[in-house]
Amino acid sequence: MDYFKEEGYTLVGFSLIILSMLAIDLFVFNRNARKINIKEALLWSVVWIGLGLLFGLYLYFDLGTEKAAQYYTAFLIEKALSVDNLFVFIMVFKFFKVPDKYQHKVLFYGIVGAIIMRAIFIFFGITLIELSYLPSFALLGTTIKINLILTLFGFFLIYAGWKSLLPENENDQENFNNSLGTKVIYKLFPVDPHFHNDKFFVKINGKRLATQLLVVLAVIEITDLLFAVDSIPAIFAVSNDPIILYTSNIFAILGLRALYFLLASVFDLFDYLKYGLAFILAFIGIKMIISSFYHIPSAISLGIVGAILTLCLILSVRKYKLQGA
């Protein structure tokens, strides 16, 4: 707990800077609802990803190779899993027929919600892990100290990786009208099932109603919450430093809005991503399970995750070119 007190001001300051940057993005650069073009989306993607990579470089010079490797590994894992998440966002927007010019605002508030949820998940998870070590014992002259939560997370990630490899039923398209997010909004507010510009609430005949855009936001938030159940446990295998875990997560999700508008038009370039994510989840799960017996160095973890993602991208591009030939 002393660590949290010492680093608390740093985390609060970091969060305030990030929220300020997001506020400038929404209220200055994107004050009016409009469609984000590919050129602008590419520019902002480069800016946000560049900032994330530069922060890792700062950690390298300030804290050394080990912390920087931990940061980059967690950053890559979260970024890759977030890309998979964006594919679901695209389906949500298509299902509700959200006009292009309103999507940016939904993604903005979705990311603000993600920042808050991930902070809660990370700090609660670290505290839980610290309290879940079993009594140490000796085995073959080596002292073993098993962490119950990390071991359970490890088996869960292996299962999640295996499950993601299972073939999907193409005839089974999700009806987001029955999703938890939709049900929550209809339970809490009277809803007008239409879009009223980019407003979340509107007054009709003196009655305050939630709009369809708020329903979409709720679906996006709940979807991200479910994805965090996979991504947050995965990075616990990388580091137990809240600074590393939190900053890598935030920088990984900051550029998602811009990246979304790029991915919407290049689905085929990520055709093999789900296979890569399955292997990454399984690898991280194994790393968690064996952590009590053997520690895989952060640099090796970074190399393995980077190699898997690079191979998936190369194979996807190759398949895309062959299909277009």
Side-chain angles (χ1 to χ4, degrees):
M1 298 303 292
D2 291 337
Y3 184 88
F4 291 106
K5 292 179 181 178
E6 294 173 1
E7 302 296 334
Y9 290 114
T10 301
L11 293 172
V12 170
F14 176 80
S15 299
L16 290 176
I17 291 173
I18 294 301
L19 291 175
S20 299
M21 294 171 67
L22 288 173
I24 292 173
D25 183 7
L26 180 66
F27 298 112
V28 177
F29 292 105
N30 296 283
R31 188 172 183 178
N32 299 316
R34 62 188 178 85
K35 180 180 179 180
I36 305 299
N37 58 51
I38 298 297
K39 182 179 179 180
E40 184 178 357
L42 178 61
L43 175 62
W44 278 108
S45 294
V46 171
V47 168
W48 288 118
I49 293 174
L51 286 174
L53 296 176
L54 286 175
F55 187 80
L57 195 61
Y58 159 76
L59 291 177
Y60 170 75
F61 287 109
D62 189 51
L63 300 177
T65 303
E66 178 67 16
K67 292 294 185 182
Q70 290 176 3
Y71 169 83
Y72 280 125
T73 304
F75 177 81
L76 280 178
I77 291 172
E78 182 63 33
K79 179 64 78 174
L81 290 171
S82 296
V83 169
D84 197 38
N85 198 359
L86 288 181
F87 291 154
V88 180
F89 290 177
I90 292 172
M91 291 189 291
V92 171
F93 286 141
K94 286 184 176 180
F95 179 85
F96 287 106
K97 297 181 175 62
V98 181
D100 292 339
K101 62 182 180 179
Y102 302 151
Q103 293 176 7
H104 183 275
K105 184 174 182 178
V106 173
L107 291 171
F108 170 85
Y109 285 104
I111 286 177
V112 171
I115 290 175
I116 296 171
M117 286 189 293
R118 277 163 170 72
I120 295 172
F121 273 31
I122 287 172
F123 295 113
F124 175 75
I126 290 175
T127 303
L128 190 61
I129 288 171
E130 289 179 348
L131 298 173
S132 61
Y133 280 98
L134 300 178
S136 58
F137 61 94
L139 180 64
L140 300 177
T142 303
T143 301
I144 305 297
K145 195 174 184 180
I146 296 177
N147 187 285
L148 182 60
I149 295 299
L150 286 179
T151 302
L152 292 176
F153 278 166
F155 283 110
F156 169 75
L157 290 178
I158 293 174
Y159 169 75
W162 171 77
K163 187 177 179 182
S164 66
L165 289 177
L166 296 178
E168 299 177 357
N169 187 350
E170 297 182 357
N171 297 321
D172 185 21
Q173 296 183 350
E174 184 169 358
N175 182 356
F176 291 104
N177 282 326
N178 297 325
S179 68
L180 178 60
T182 302
K183 292 178 179 178
V184 167
I185 296 300
Y186 273 85
K187 186 74 173 178
L188 295 177
F189 309 103
V191 178
D192 181 85
H194 299 94
F195 295 105
H196 295 268
N197 296 322
D198 61 345
K199 296 179 180 178
F200 292 126
F201 291 95
V202 65
K203 275 192 174 181
I204 298 179
N205 298 325
K207 188 176 182 181
R208 189 168 181 262
L209 303 174
T211 68
Q212 187 77 329
L213 201 64
L214 185 65
V215 174
V216 175
L217 176 60
V219 173
I220 292 293
E221 292 285 12
I222 296 296
T223 300
D224 181 74
L225 177 63
L226 296 176
F227 269 84
V229 173
D230 283 346
S231 64
I232 299 301
I235 61 173
F236 284 143
V238 176
S239 175
N240 62 353
D241 188 331
I243 297 293
I244 299 297
L245 299 180
Y246 185 63
T247 54
S248 61
N249 251 260
I250 299 310
F251 275 119
I253 65 177
L254 276 176
L256 290 187
R257 286 165 303 137
L259 197 59
Y260 164 83
F261 294 101
L262 290 178
L263 293 182
S265 58
V266 290
F267 266 139
D268 293 335
L269 291 182
F270 295 88
D271 196 58
Y272 287 101
L273 178 63
K274 73 172 186 176
Y275 300 105
L277 293 180
F279 283 108
I280 288 174
L281 289 175
F283 165 69
I284 295 300
I286 293 172
K287 180 178 179 179
M288 279 183 165
I289 293 171
I290 69 173
S291 61
S292 301
F293 308 91
Y294 176 74
H295 171 68
I296 300 177
S298 299
I300 294 179
S301 297
L302 176 60
I304 292 174
V305 172
I308 291 174
L309 292 177
T310 301
L311 179 61
C312 290
L313 183 59
I314 292 173
L315 292 176
S316 297
V317 171
R318 182 174 179 274
K319 180 179 179 181
Y320 178 77
K321 289 182 177 180
L322 290 176
Q323 289 177 339

